[in-house]
Amino acid sequence: MHTEYKVKTSAFEGPMELLLLLIEKRKLFINEISLAQVTDDFMSYLKRLGTLPIGYTANFIITAATLVLIKSRSLLPNLLLTEEEEGDISDLRRRLELYRLFKNAGEKISSTFGKHIMFKRQYRAIMPVFVPDKSLNLANIQQSVIDMLASAPKKEALTETTVQKAISMEEMMENLTLRIKETMRMSFKQFSNHHANPKKDGKIFIIVSFLALLELVKQGIIAVRQENKFGDIDIEGLAEQKI
Amino acid sequence: MMLPLDAQIEAILFFKTDAMSIRKLSELLNVNKELVEEALTQLKVKLEGRGVSLTCHGDEVMLTCAKEVSLLIEKLAKDELEGELSRASVETLSIVLYRGSVTKSEIDYIRGVNASFILRALQIRGLVERTQNPKDGRAFIYKPTIELYNFLGITKKEELPDYEKLMKELDLLSREESQNEKDSMAVSS
Amino acid sequence: MMLPLDAQIEAILFFKTDAMSIRKLSELLNVNKELVEEALTQLKVKLEGRGVSLTCHGDEVMLTCAKEVSLLIEKLAKDELEGELSRASVETLSIVLYRGSVTKSEIDYIRGVNASFILRALQIRGLVERTQNPKDGRAFIYKPTIELYNFLGITKKEELPDYEKLMKELDLLSREESQNEKDSMAVSS
């Protein structure tokens, strides 16, 4: 079933589903190394989500942030992560394990559901006897409708915390860039300003271009140069490579 | 795994609340009448001293509560009729009242839970009645009973307090709900 | 003549059709809960190999036709059977079933998706029920219904596919989590 996998926009309900599929497609175990390996696949799916409403993409973006951390560390082993970031990484791995556990169990559940129903007895015929009670009066009936209307779910407002988290991504990426600059001497900001219009392309592009940059550094395709001690840091192509 | 014939008959009779003929049983189980009768005899023996007994009436058989527990069952039946209506019951009843006639699935959508048990309890107490939906023969619609109208001192739903406004809002809610359903289906499919 | 307690319970559940709470049974029978539970265990044993099964789910118990005769009874049942479950429903049901009781935020966390719609749909289908969290009055917990058990053909949670194995794995994962917490506490203190 999974062998004919193609990335299709909005084919996935959530990031865990996508992440697990990417890992299983490559027949990997769930660990930091495999998560780093599927990060690019995950991002290429995300790029296509760029046009969907933030409510749908927010959960993917949050997961993407953690994947960026994992990938950064896999490429730059001496990059120091904060305690919280370490926590995010082990949390993502654990969530994915949990998700896989329940998803697999769910497959068995769905194959048994409705196959051998334990039927309950048919109801005996009703012989109604009119028995009202004191709570039945027009005022109570009206109040009950009013209460019900008040507690009805509103047009599902996007969970604000999720969206907030997704929006603060930019900050997080900048912060990470700074720290990588310290170790790698480069100006990511310049890089991303050149190549992305954040207003138009959004957070996903920033993540993707960041990852691309990391990859390029790793492969030695670009070098970084610093003019004076506290000056700006430039990125320079080693060969006539186009980034 | 296959159950013995008497256990299969037990299950069928347990399921059906009314009597069943031996002929019908033999058709259903695809065995001859003699075998059914034999199994019924075994079943009768096995049910001795149990809470449920096998009653035979001419060609027809059925399971009933053992007569030793009849007082207990009377108490239980009385229990179903009396007692205060729960908040959920009053809610369901108000939907039926303001809508005048409504399907179970509309009630389910408005309240966000399955209303089966409550609707049955309201019918037993004679507050709500169920009729065939004229538009869709398979579906049922629920209506307030005349006795309930009388009890509340109204003759038609329009006399309910703030009828126009509340009715409209309820209507909106059930429509929004079916839209939400579609939205979430689109994502999860 | 007085029937033993387990036979009295059998009669009550037979009459009642729907699930009943142990508390309610103990009230009706005027005996304490421990005795009711003991009698239920006896009843369960007596019903082995019979056409009728006893399902126990938390505080609730119910009699149903045995799993082995489901195809036979299906021929008699007129009600429309539930349709297929969506992927999202299956995942959510599996979390609710194996966890036994779970908050919405736990489901959201595991699936990385807001589970509001799906939980509402499952409640409307009567497969999941929502109750107040005993530990935190403001939060709700979601539980499988006894009807869900009926649809799965199980009489208790231990009969869920791979139950033991899954519980062990869950236990391991949750221990890992508390270990992580301890580690980070140690660092930050």
Side-chain angles (χ1 to χ4, degrees):
Chain A
M1 188 167 81
H2 289 172
T3 48
E4 273 189 77
Y5 161 76
K6 283 185 198 109
V7 174
K8 208 173 92 197
T9 302
S10 98
F12 295 94
E13 224 210 335
M16 292 299 145
E17 194 183 5
L18 171 61
L19 208 46
L20 184 64
L21 186 87
L22 292 174
I23 286 184
E24 286 182 344
K25 207 182 83 185
R26 295 188 179 209
K27 301 193 167 58
L28 298 171
F29 292 107
I30 296 175
N31 53 36
E32 234 186 284
I33 301 163
S34 63
L35 285 170
Q37 277 177 279
V38 300
T39 298
D40 293 336
D41 296 347
F42 190 90
M43 297 306 165
S44 75
Y45 175 78
L46 239 68
K47 262 197 269 185
R48 294 166 217 226
L49 287 186
T51 52
L52 289 174
I54 181 90
Y56 178 65
T57 54
N59 288 315
F60 286 90
I61 294 175
I62 293 168
T63 305
T66 309
L67 287 174
V68 165
L69 288 176
I70 295 173
K71 177 98 180 183
S72 306
R73 181 153 73 180
S74 82
L75 295 175
L76 311 165
N78 52 353
L79 177 72
L80 274 176
L81 297 183
T82 66
E83 216 176 277
E84 200 191 336
E85 288 164 343
E86 293 281 3
D88 284 349
I89 291 175
S90 66
D91 191 55
L92 180 65
R93 197 188 37 84
R94 208 182 74 90
R95 277 173 80 186
L96 198 56
E97 299 259 26
L98 272 177
Y99 175 73
R100 182 181 57 180
L101 207 76
F102 287 116
K103 191 185 159 69
N104 290 346
E107 273 159 28
K108 291 201 177 118
I109 295 288
S110 89
S111 66
T112 33
F113 185 84
K115 292 293 184 307
H116 296 284
I117 302 173
M118 303 176 69
F119 286 94
K120 71 168 165 189
R121 277 189 87 199
Q122 286 183 326
Y123 283 120
R124 66 206 133 81
I126 293 173
M127 278 169 288
V129 182
F130 183 68
V131 191
D133 84 25
K134 56 183 184 311
S135 67
L136 285 185
N137 56 55
L138 290 176
N140 274 352
I141 298 275
Q142 180 188 18
Q143 194 54 48
S144 153
V145 173
I146 292 170
D147 292 347
M148 207 169 11
L149 288 167
S151 66
K154 313 284 169 286
K155 250 299 193 189
E156 189 70 16
L158 294 170
T159 46
E160 263 175 51
T161 47
T162 309
V163 175
Q164 271 311 316
K165 254 196 213 162
I167 287 171
S168 65
M169 271 286 307
E170 231 153 316
E171 226 173 277
M172 178 244 150
M173 295 299 300
E174 259 168 46
N175 182 294
L176 187 61
T177 309
L178 272 173
R179 283 150 53 201
I180 290 174
K181 251 160 68 176
E182 277 159 23
T183 21
M184 292 303 296
R185 310 169 141 220
M186 67 175 131
S187 165
F188 168 66
K189 196 157 189 191
Q190 214 180 355
F191 170 83
S192 65
N193 279 348
H194 251 242
H195 294 271
N197 177 349
K199 285 234 168 65
K200 186 170 141 271
D201 299 310
K203 284 158 253 320
I204 293 159
F205 193 91
I206 298 178
I207 305 173
V208 173
S209 56
F210 179 83
L211 283 172
L213 181 74
L214 270 178
E215 198 65 54
L216 293 173
V217 171
K218 176 82 191 292
Q219 289 166 6
I221 293 167
I222 52 170
V224 280
R225 188 163 49 98
Q226 192 176 28
E227 291 292 332
N228 21 47
K229 208 173 179 191
F230 299 103
D232 215 357
I233 299 159
D234 300 323
I235 303 169
E236 208 174 60
L238 275 186
E240 293 283 293
Q241 297 273 358
K242 274 199 177 160
I243 302 167
Chain B
M1 195 179 76
M2 190 76 165
L3 287 179
L5 197 56
D6 66 290
Q8 292 186 47
I9 293 175
E10 184 183 24
I12 293 171
L13 297 178
F14 171 85
F15 179 75
K16 298 285 288 181
T17 39
D18 38 6
M20 204 165 195
S21 70
I22 292 174
R23 185 185 47 74
K24 185 81 213 278
L25 278 172
S26 98
E27 273 171 33
L28 253 172
L29 292 159
N30 207 16
V31 295
N32 64 39
K33 276 170 100 173
E34 287 68 37
L35 277 174
V36 172
E37 274 161 14
E38 212 173 280
L40 281 168
T41 315
Q42 285 165 16
L43 182 59
K44 193 156 184 110
V45 174
K46 283 188 184 165
L47 289 175
E48 265 164 32
R50 314 273 340 128
V52 172
S53 325
L54 182 69
T55 317
C56 303
H57 201 80
D59 180 43
E60 296 203 310
V61 286
M62 79 186 283
L63 284 182
T64 53
C65 289
K67 55 181 182 304
E68 291 89 345
V69 288
S70 53
L71 279 175
L72 200 57
I73 300 301
E74 250 172 62
K75 202 167 139 194
L76 181 59
K78 212 174 139 218
D79 239 55
E80 281 186 354
L81 278 175
E82 285 159 7
E84 218 176 304
L85 290 172
S86 67
R87 216 187 82 159
S89 304
V90 177
E91 261 179 35
T92 308
L93 194 59
S94 0
I95 296 173
V96 177
L97 276 163
Y98 275 86
R99 298 294 294 247
S101 77
V102 61
T103 64
K104 179 181 151 316
S105 62
E106 280 176 284
I107 300 173
D108 291 347
Y109 279 132
I110 292 173
R111 296 191 54 246
V113 285
N114 194 291
S116 305
F117 300 132
I118 292 173
L119 280 171
R120 182 165 166 88
L122 290 175
Q123 285 176 82
I124 291 175
R125 289 179 71 152
L127 302 170
V128 161
E129 63 186 353
R130 190 177 81 163
T131 54
Q132 213 91 42
N133 187 347
K135 288 180 210 139
D136 175 2
R138 287 162 308 164
F140 292 108
I141 49 174
Y142 293 85
K143 289 179 176 172
T145 59
I146 295 183
E147 288 85 356
L148 180 59
Y149 270 8
N150 290 342
F151 184 77
L152 293 172
I154 56 172
T155 57
K156 53 180 197 280
K157 63 180 178 193
E158 287 78 6
E159 290 168 26
L160 287 162
D162 217 0
Y163 173 75
E164 286 288 332
K165 180 170 166 274
L166 293 178
M167 158 73 190
K168 253 183 219 141
E169 284 179 37
L170 273 180
D171 203 40
L172 218 67
L173 198 63
S174 66
R175 245 181 264 161
E176 219 170 78
E177 195 55 56
S178 49
Q179 189 53 47
N180 276 350
E181 272 282 290
K182 271 183 220 143
D183 292 349
S184 73
M185 295 288 262
V187 174
S188 61
S189 65
Chain C
M1 192 183 79
M2 189 73 165
L3 286 179
L5 199 55
D6 65 288
Q8 293 185 49
I9 292 175
E10 185 182 26
I12 291 171
L13 294 177
F14 173 82
F15 178 81
K16 177 77 182 173
T17 302
D18 289 317
M20 204 163 188
S21 71
I22 293 176
R23 186 184 49 74
K24 184 84 215 207
L25 279 171
S26 101
E27 270 172 37
L28 256 170
L29 292 159
N30 206 16
V31 294
N32 67 36
K33 276 171 119 180
E34 287 69 36
L35 280 174
V36 172
E37 274 162 18
E38 214 173 276
L40 284 167
T41 314
Q42 285 163 16
L43 183 58
K44 193 150 185 129
V45 173
K46 284 188 182 162
L47 290 174
E48 265 164 32
R50 313 281 330 137
V52 174
S53 305
L54 179 69
T55 301
C56 301
H57 173 52
D59 181 48
E60 291 200 308
V61 288
M62 164 175 198
L63 283 182
T64 62
C65 296
K67 180 184 179 172
E68 292 83 357
V69 289
S70 64
L71 292 176
L72 193 62
I73 305 298
E74 217 167 284
K75 286 192 230 166
L76 293 169
K78 277 169 278 173
D79 10 319
E80 259 177 74
L81 294 179
E82 300 276 327
E84 291 262 306
L85 296 169
S86 70
R87 240 168 24 193
S89 304
V90 171
E91 284 174 19
T92 310
L93 281 181
S94 129
I95 297 173
V96 175
L97 277 164
Y98 286 93
R99 274 278 160 93
S101 75
V102 64
T103 62
K104 180 178 126 22
S105 60
E106 281 176 85
I107 301 173
D108 291 352
Y109 171 80
I110 295 169
R111 297 186 57 242
V113 182
N114 185 340
S116 301
F117 287 139
I118 218 74
L119 281 171
R120 199 170 153 85
L122 290 172
Q123 283 182 86
I124 286 171
R125 280 178 80 166
L127 301 175
V128 162
E129 65 187 343
R130 189 178 83 166
T131 53
Q132 215 90 43
N133 188 346
K135 287 180 208 136
D136 175 2
R138 289 158 309 166
F140 291 111
I141 50 174
Y142 293 84
K143 290 179 176 177
T145 60
I146 209 162
E147 281 77 22
L148 175 56
Y149 277 20
N150 294 346
F151 274 111
L152 293 171
I154 61 170
T155 62
K156 50 178 196 267
K157 66 170 188 273
E158 288 79 8
E159 287 170 15
L160 283 166
D162 288 340
Y163 182 77
E164 289 282 331
K165 183 171 158 269
L166 214 115
M167 283 301 125
K168 259 185 215 144
E169 290 175 354
L170 272 180
D171 196 45
L172 268 168
L173 279 169
S174 67
R175 247 185 261 169
E176 196 181 291
E177 179 191 31
S178 49
Q179 193 53 51
N180 278 349
E181 264 160 32
K182 266 186 225 143
D183 290 350
S184 67
M185 297 279 263
V187 174
S188 62
S189 63

